[in-house]
Amino acid sequence: LKIYSEKTYGFIITQIKSAIGTSPKQKLFLKSLGLKKIGHKIEVPVNSSSEALVKKVSHLIKLEHSA
């Protein structure tokens, strides 16, 4: 029996550039990640869908791996 009390690993994402001037799809990708404004930080789990979103808006965000 495994007990999952440990924190799951994920990405820490910080928005570093504005969404103004980007395509509507990229604005939706930022919104779906949970980013709202420049300097906003979030932690998302590592999975294929979040990795795809990060790849699409990589020029607008800073990505760190949480420990």
Side-chain angles (χ1 to χ4, degrees):
L1 178 67
K2 287 188 176 182
I3 299 174
Y4 294 100
S5 62
E6 303 163 3
K7 185 177 178 184
T8 59
Y9 293 103
F11 297 123
I12 297 175
I13 301 173
T14 307
Q15 185 175 349
I16 57 170
K17 289 189 178 180
S18 174
I20 296 173
T22 62
S23 70
K25 276 189 176 183
Q26 289 176 346
K27 290 178 186 179
L28 286 175
F29 294 151
L30 287 174
K31 187 176 180 180
S32 65
L33 281 170
L35 294 168
K36 299 175 182 175
K37 58 184 180 179
I38 296 173
H40 189 212
K41 287 187 177 187
I42 57 156
E43 185 171 354
V44 296
V46 176
N47 56 37
S48 60
S49 62
S50 63
E51 287 176 2
L53 290 173
V54 164
K55 187 176 179 181
K56 295 287 186 178
V57 293
S58 62
H59 58 289
L60 301 173
I61 61 173
K62 181 174 81 171
L63 181 67
E64 303 169 17
H65 294 283
S66 64

